Amino acid sequence: MDKYGLIGFPLGHSFSISYHNQRFADENINAQYYNFEIASIDELAEVLDQNPELKGLNVTIPYKEKVMPFLDYISPEARAIGAVNVIKVIHEGKKIILKGYNSDVIGFTRSIEPMLEKWHKKALILGTGGASKAVGYGLKSLGLETVCVSRYERQGTICYKDITPDVVKEYNVIVNCTPVGMYPKTEECPQLPYEALDSHNILYDLIYNPDETLFMKKGAEQGAQTKNGLEMLLLQAFASWEFWNGKE
């Protein structure tokens, strides 16, 4: 039986394990998906050694950047983003070859593209972590100009206090890549001039629990288009399977 899995720390409840195992059952695929909770990225070698049937891994926090030095090949997209969340494991005799990809950018791009209109030319990306890098890469590939928003003064970003009503009219696509508003702290939302939003704005939240965050709700009240991160999650999980089993 083929094995697939997720490395990260801590893992807790993972969307990936339930999604992939359900898919294997539905499609009669002789495979099983496991969570490999490792306290250090150095434990990756042990996971590979103890699971010779392993064909692929997903990578989550905090190892999307830390795993990169362990890989034999990194796709141009993953290298440009600076983060890997899918590893294809290839066994050649006793040698193991690891190939790294980024499916976050595929999931996000395929999810937001149908929402974009000709007036969507600029985007604010809330947050500066690994997910925001993938989102930025995806938006640029769709022809949008982007700027990241940080809680702190840092080069190449703006702070929340700098976001005026004029800014959200110009940068009318706003993507939340922070955990602000995620369950159980559902009464929180990023600090924005929500009253300045209108039907020309898109508010996209990578969070999918709750279904509608306060960020989305406040946008919808002003007529903005909103979307949560569930479709992105499904699309990136599907893309993981394509990377693991695609012809090269």
Side-chain angles (χ1 to χ4, degrees), residues 40-75:
S40 162
I41 192 59
D42 295 323
E43 293 175 35
L44 174 61
E46 191 179 333
V47 170
L48 294 166
D49 190 49
Q50 292 181 357
N51 298 276
E53 311 91 346
L54 205 55
K55 293 291 197 309
L57 288 165
N58 287 121
V59 185
T60 190
I61 294 167
Y63 301 132
K64 289 186 181 185
E65 290 96 352
K66 291 176 183 172
V67 78
M68 294 174 79
F70 292 80
L71 306 177
D72 301 291
Y73 165 85
I74 298 169
S75 74

Side-chain angles (χ1 to χ4, degrees), residues 89-149:
V89 182
I90 301 166
H91 299 266
E92 287 188 358
K94 290 190 175 178
K95 190 180 178 191
I96 297 174
I97 296 167
L98 303 178
K99 296 190 169 187
Y101 305 90
N102 191 299
S103 66
D104 284 337
V105 66
I106 297 170
F108 172 72
T109 307
R110 289 179 184 170
S111 178
I112 199 169
E113 189 172 20
M115 302 174 75
L116 297 173
E117 303 285 356
K118 59 182 181 296
W119 55 81
H120 294 128
K121 295 185 181 353
K122 296 184 180 182
L124 291 178
I125 301 171
L126 311 184
T128 55
S132 69
K133 292 187 183 84
V135 164
Y137 186 92
L139 288 169
K140 284 171 190 163
S141 76
L142 294 170
L144 277 74
E145 191 181 310
T146 66
V147 65
C148 285
V149 183

Side-chain angles (χ1 to χ4, degrees), residues 206-227:
L206 265 56
I207 293 168
Y208 55 92
N209 184 12
D211 290 339
E212 185 182 50
T213 58
L214 187 56
F215 165 76
M216 292 167 62
K217 190 176 180 186
K218 291 180 95 159
E221 284 169 356
Q222 303 299 323
Q225 278 193 84
T226 64
K227 196 171 206 175

